[in-house]
Amino acid sequence: YALIYSQALYRNYIDAPNDSLISFAADYYEEHGSTSDKFYAYLYQGLVRYQLNEYEKAAQSLIFAMENSSSVNDHYAIGQMYANLSLINLVFHCSDALDYAMRSYASYSSGGLQDYAANALVLSASSHLQNQRYDSCRCMIEKAITEATRLSDTLVLNEAKSVKAQYAICVDSTDLAEELLLSLSAQESYVLSHQDISNLAYISASRGEMD
């Protein structure tokens, strides 16, 4: 029950208030479960902890999940595991972020999960950007935008444009960055992230504006 309920919350975009319920499942399956049971329990423990911003604990759980993933043939779950490991590595500026992002992309692609695969491309672009690999970052962003447009996935498209704005600032193209960010802010359904707001502030400051 603890595992299935935690899965249901996550799949319906509902944040768990804490990790006590899924940790009960993880502790139980560590003693009594199969390799597959351990994989899912540690995976969702990691996902819940990531939502709670407990990144170090989340990484530990996801590593345990990865150690028990060899017999699991669930492309969505494996993709989520690698994607969240990539996100955590981005938080801590670790070089493994790109490798995990590409593993996530490979898993989603193998399962025909095209929307998730497109989002993994955005994650890969962010990893390239953090490592100042600007040419490869640009290629990944354009590939993600092409895929998101083809799939009519507005969410992924907007995420790709946000990363493209960050890229544009890094290569001194503030006009392009401003154009992208203003187009995002004009959408009622899009909420500017802290990074978007920071980039808009940087653009204004670079022009001596008071906004």
Side-chain angles (χ1 to χ4, degrees):
Y1 170 82
L3 175 57
I4 293 173
Y5 187 77
S6 297
Q7 288 176 317
L9 289 177
Y10 185 81
R11 294 295 292 268
N12 286 281
Y13 306 101
I14 301 172
D15 291 351
N18 53 60
D19 69 348
S20 59
L21 186 64
I22 188 58
S23 292
F24 172 83
D27 292 343
Y28 177 84
Y29 284 129
E30 179 59 36
E31 296 295 329
H32 306 287
S34 65
T35 301
S36 178
D37 292 331
K38 292 176 185 178
F39 166 77
Y40 284 105
Y42 283 125
L43 169 65
Y44 281 92
Q45 185 184 54
L47 298 179
V48 167
R49 286 174 168 175
Y50 181 84
Q51 290 175 330
L52 296 169
N53 299 324
E54 297 178 358
Y55 299 125
E56 292 185 2
K57 288 184 177 181
Q60 184 180 45
S61 298
L62 292 169
I63 292 296
F64 287 154
M66 186 167 60
E67 291 173 351
N68 289 279
S69 65
S70 58
S71 62
V72 176
N73 190 32
D74 183 335
H75 296 292
Y76 169 80
I78 296 293
Q80 288 288 294
M81 177 185 72
Y82 284 131
N84 280 267
L85 278 169
S86 180
L87 287 166
I88 293 168
N89 275 262
L90 280 172
V91 169
F92 292 113
H93 297 271
C94 297
S95 59
D96 289 338
L98 178 58
D99 178 54
Y100 286 132
M102 294 311 297
R103 291 189 190 189
S104 175
Y105 173 75
S107 183
Y108 289 140
S109 297
S110 296
L113 303 169
Q114 297 179 350
D115 291 285
Y116 288 104
N119 197 50
L121 288 174
V122 179
L123 189 54
S124 299
S126 296
S127 302
H128 281 292
L129 183 61
Q130 190 174 86
N131 288 297
Q132 298 181 349
R133 300 174 181 174
Y134 298 130
D135 288 341
S136 51
C137 172
R138 176 177 50 79
C139 291
M140 282 291 181
I141 292 172
E142 295 306 327
K143 187 174 181 180
I145 289 175
T146 299
E147 277 296 289
T149 302
R150 182 179 68 82
L151 296 167
S152 300
D153 191 324
T154 304
L155 180 62
V156 175
L157 181 60
N158 286 341
E159 290 295 325
K161 288 181 177 179
S162 177
V163 175
K164 188 173 182 178
Q166 296 176 49
Y167 158 81
I169 286 177
C170 290
V171 297
D172 296 324
S173 183
T174 53
D175 288 342
L176 173 59
E178 183 178 41
E179 178 185 341
L180 289 164
L181 291 170
L182 291 178
S183 70
L184 289 173
S185 65
Q187 299 180 39
E188 293 183 4
S189 60
Y190 185 81
V191 179
L192 290 173
S193 68
H194 290 153
Q195 185 64 59
D196 293 331
I197 296 169
S198 176
N199 287 333
L200 282 170
Y202 172 82
I203 292 168
S204 292
S206 67
R207 295 172 178 166
E209 298 170 355
M210 298 301 295
D211 292 347

